[in-house]
Amino acid sequence: MTTCGIALVVVAIMAGCGGSSDPRGVADEDVVKRAATVPPTTPGWNWPKARTSSSPYTKDKGGDPPPTNDPLAAKLYRQLRGLDMIGSAASRWEDKSKLAHLVVERFASPADAHSAMRPYREFAHGWAEQTGTVSDEAVRGLGDEAWRISARGYSEEVTYKWRRGNLVLEAHMQCSTACRPDIDGAARVWVGAIDGKARRPSA
């Protein structure tokens, strides 16, 4: 199953400081860990109860991005070069008919997180065009600079990405068979739950 989950491609490719002396740093790390494990429990969708895979919080080591023959990914790497991503965490839920993928990234500053949003959106749009008809819209009431990109073609998928301060969050749903008619609504409910964890100062 192909996914346009953007952060699958870009986690740990940017130069990072590998840590932070900011006392808020530990709190931010805890928020990333909590938000990255919120399950897609939309009623009626029968998601797996346990994650099929996960990436625990890892600090970015910096260095050069991996080689790629994909022009979209190569462009994204160039655009993100120099931004300081401190770390990230991810989770995935998947069965025979659908998947949900969630990534939360922590940047060194809101300015770096802001600078990443446009390249991410360009990449997501270009990738979704390979699937089918694309819808690309801004989303209100969801953090900062939030957007949603959906595609209908050989599969149906929707990706939400938004920023809260120095955190960048992405939630992606995709069906390998015919989706229920409310995939976007299902994703939006999940996104709301994720965002609630990202805004909560403590567990």
Side-chain angles (χ1 to χ4, degrees):
M1 184 182 294
T2 302
T3 175
C4 72
I6 308 150
L8 284 170
V9 180
V10 300
V11 168
I13 66 169
M14 294 165 284
C17 66
S20 173
S21 59
D22 185 344
R24 193 185 62 164
V26 175
D28 283 349
E29 181 176 326
D30 289 342
V31 170
V32 171
K33 291 176 181 178
R34 289 200 310 271
T37 59
V38 176
T41 54
T42 306
W45 275 70
N46 193 30
W47 287 100
K49 293 183 179 179
R51 287 173 284 171
T52 52
S53 67
S54 63
S55 172
Y57 185 84
T58 55
K59 293 183 178 180
D60 181 55
K61 302 298 183 181
D64 294 329
T68 177
N69 294 322
D70 182 350
L72 286 173
K75 179 182 178 182
L76 180 63
Y77 295 158
R78 290 193 302 270
Q79 291 175 314
L80 296 178
R81 188 180 296 276
L83 300 184
D84 193 354
M85 188 177 77
I86 296 176
S88 62
S91 297
R92 184 183 181 98
W93 295 260
E94 185 173 8
D95 58 26
K96 293 181 179 180
S97 64
K98 61 188 180 299
L99 71 82
H101 184 254
L102 166 59
V103 177
V104 184
E105 297 169 320
R106 175 183 163 210
F107 285 79
S109 68
D112 275 0
H114 162 73
S115 295
M117 292 298 289
R118 182 181 58 81
Y120 278 148
R121 188 170 184 172
E122 291 177 357
F123 177 86
H125 190 109
W127 192 270
E129 284 181 332
Q130 302 177 53
T131 298
T133 304
V134 177
S135 173
D136 183 340
E137 300 175 327
V139 176
R140 295 182 178 180
L142 181 62
D144 304 308
E145 305 172 77
W147 46 261
R148 176 188 65 232
I149 292 178
S150 58
R152 293 174 181 265
Y154 65 83
S155 69
E156 188 172 353
E157 59 189 56
V158 59
T159 300
Y160 279 82
K161 197 149 191 136
W162 69 104
R163 179 176 68 84
R164 282 212 172 266
N166 65 327
L167 302 183
V168 173
L169 304 96
E170 176 187 302
H172 175 80
M173 280 188 179
Q174 183 170 351
C175 299
S176 57
T177 59
C179 270
R180 293 168 55 100
D182 57 341
I183 181 174
D184 184 63
R188 188 64 180 85
V189 170
W190 182 35
V191 163
I194 298 165
D195 194 51
K197 285 291 186 180
R199 289 185 287 109
R200 195 169 302 172
S202 61

